Amino acid sequence: MSQHVSMAQVCLFSLSSPFPASAVSSRLRLNRPLPFQFSRIQASSDATSASASNSNPKVVVTRERGKNGKLIKALAKHRIDCLELPLIQHAQGPDTDRLSSVLKADTIFDWIIITSPEAGSVFLEAWKEAGTPNVRIGVVGAGTASIFEEVIQSSKCSLDVAFSPSKATGKILASELPKNGNKKCTVLYPASAKASNEIEEGLSNRGFEVVRLNTYTTEPVHHVDQTVLKQALSIPVVAVASPSAVRSWVNLISDTEQWSNSVACIGETTASAAKRLGLKNAYYPTHPGLEGWVDSILEALREHGHF
């Protein structure tokens, strides 16, 4: 059995708990853990995909409009063109307006946990509205941490990005978040209304007191251009960054058995959703993030002769 291995360098800014500086990627399941281990979920051996010439897009990017730029730019370095087809949009959650009030209150949280770029953006707006109080932030990974980069470069910054787990998942974050001995430790968790209870349950089981606020939600876009959709169906790889995006894609295609191209997922949670929804060719990096996501896209293209 052959395997494909490539080196990937992760670009990060300094945090109190550093991320891995480099990573090795492989499509195959190996006996030893690797920082980037590509996994493919029940990939069919005879999967086919529509051919695309060098002048045609090879990847469909599906994040909210205006938020696909980093991925498009990263793929352009490999001379890969993209078709933008936003599948999701963000909207206010039931607790959006409460967040700034909670930050203004006398309660001081030991940690504020941010697990996505959108959660980070919503939090920053409320934090500024609350008068930029001193806060200590734990992030799930480098992509989320980058949302705070401009703010923490301020000479008078009262926001400290102080923790990131060894692996960019909610489960690992909940198991590794530092706790001050037996002292009561409080956590504010601004989250998507559609996020699971994994983080607060994991933290509560370790003795943390968690306040969760559902500050935003994700919903399908209200309109999809049918001409663009028709083109997207023939493109070899669809890049998805959340289970919500996977669900939106599956709802758009008429038959998952007939559509046999690949989905490149930002992480394992999204890839698991793709599997549950019947998509056979799902690729993902073990460590979520832009760098691994790009490598999983390249792996999907390479596997089917498009790169």
Side-chain angles (χ1 to χ4, degrees):
M1 182 179 294
S2 64
Q3 66 182 39
H4 305 281
V5 178
S6 61
M7 297 302 296
Q9 184 70 32
V10 183
C11 297
L12 302 167
F13 63 88
S14 176
L15 294 175
S16 298
S17 177
F19 299 99
S22 62
V24 179
S25 63
S26 171
R27 179 176 62 86
L28 303 177
R29 188 176 301 278
L30 304 180
N31 292 328
R32 62 186 187 280
L34 294 174
F36 279 113
Q37 176 186 335
F38 280 104
S39 304
R40 185 174 171 199
I41 298 180
Q42 295 185 351
S44 57
S45 60
D46 59 348
T48 59
S49 58
S51 63
S53 68
N54 290 335
S55 61
N56 290 331
K58 294 182 179 180
V59 178
V60 183
V61 293
T62 61
R63 272 182 158 165
E64 189 176 21
R65 189 168 300 280
K67 297 185 178 179
N68 290 297
K70 288 184 179 180
L71 181 58
I72 292 172
K73 185 177 180 180
L75 290 172
K77 293 178 180 178
H78 299 276
R79 298 184 179 180
I80 295 171
D81 294 328
C82 298
L83 174 71
E84 187 170 21
L85 179 66
L87 295 177
I88 62 167
Q89 57 191 7
H90 293 117
Q92 285 194 344
D95 300 323
T96 303
D97 295 333
R98 287 184 56 200
L99 182 55
S100 62
S101 299
V102 170
L103 292 171
K104 288 178 184 177
D106 293 335
T107 303
I108 298 177
F109 292 93
D110 294 290
W111 289 102
I112 297 176
I113 298 303
I114 305 295
T115 58
S116 71
E118 183 63 21
S121 297
V122 173
F123 171 79
L124 280 176
E125 289 185 15
W127 176 72
K128 291 173 183 176
E129 184 180 337
T132 65
N134 291 320
V135 291
R136 185 168 64 156
I137 304 291
V139 296
V140 74
T144 300
S146 67
I147 295 296
F148 300 101
E149 187 170 15
E150 184 178 343
V151 173
I152 65 174
Q153 288 175 350
S154 168
S155 60
K156 297 182 179 179
C157 180
S158 54
L159 184 151
D160 178 20
V161 179
F163 170 77
S164 181
S166 60
K167 182 178 178 180
T169 68
K171 182 178 181 179
I172 300 300
L173 184 153
S175 68
E176 294 182 349
L177 187 70
K179 188 172 184 287
N180 299 327
N182 294 323
K183 174 181 172 290
K184 184 178 76 171
C185 199
T186 56
V187 174
L188 175 62
Y189 175 36
S192 165
K194 293 188 176 179
S196 72
N197 297 325
E198 182 177 59
I199 289 178
E200 62 260 44
E201 288 179 356
L203 290 173
S204 296
N205 289 339
R206 292 181 56 210
F208 287 88
E209 293 187 7
V210 183
V211 176
R212 172 171 173 163
L213 297 180
N214 292 322
T215 57
Y216 75 99
T217 191
T218 303
E219 56 189 30
V221 293
H222 299 311
H223 172 73
V224 174
D225 187 303
Q226 292 302 304
T227 302
V228 178
L229 175 60
K230 183 177 180 180
Q231 183 182 6
L233 288 168
S234 67
I235 291 175
V237 176
V238 175
V240 288
S242 68
S244 294
V246 174
R247 286 190 291 270
S248 293
W249 178 248
V250 169
N251 287 337
L252 286 173
I253 59 180
S254 57
D255 190 344
T256 56
E257 292 298 323
Q258 294 300 316
W259 187 83
S260 57
N261 291 349
S262 300
V263 288
C265 306
I266 198 169
E268 185 175 0
T269 300
T270 302
S272 296
K275 176 185 175 181
R276 287 195 303 271
L277 292 169
L279 300 179
K280 297 181 177 64
N281 299 307
Y283 294 78
Y284 69 96
T286 299
H287 285 254
L290 180 63
E291 188 81 15
W293 196 13
V294 168
D295 280 353
S296 68
I297 291 170
L298 298 180
E299 184 72 9
L301 289 170
R302 193 179 293 116
E303 179 73 11
H304 299 288
H306 294 285
F307 181 68

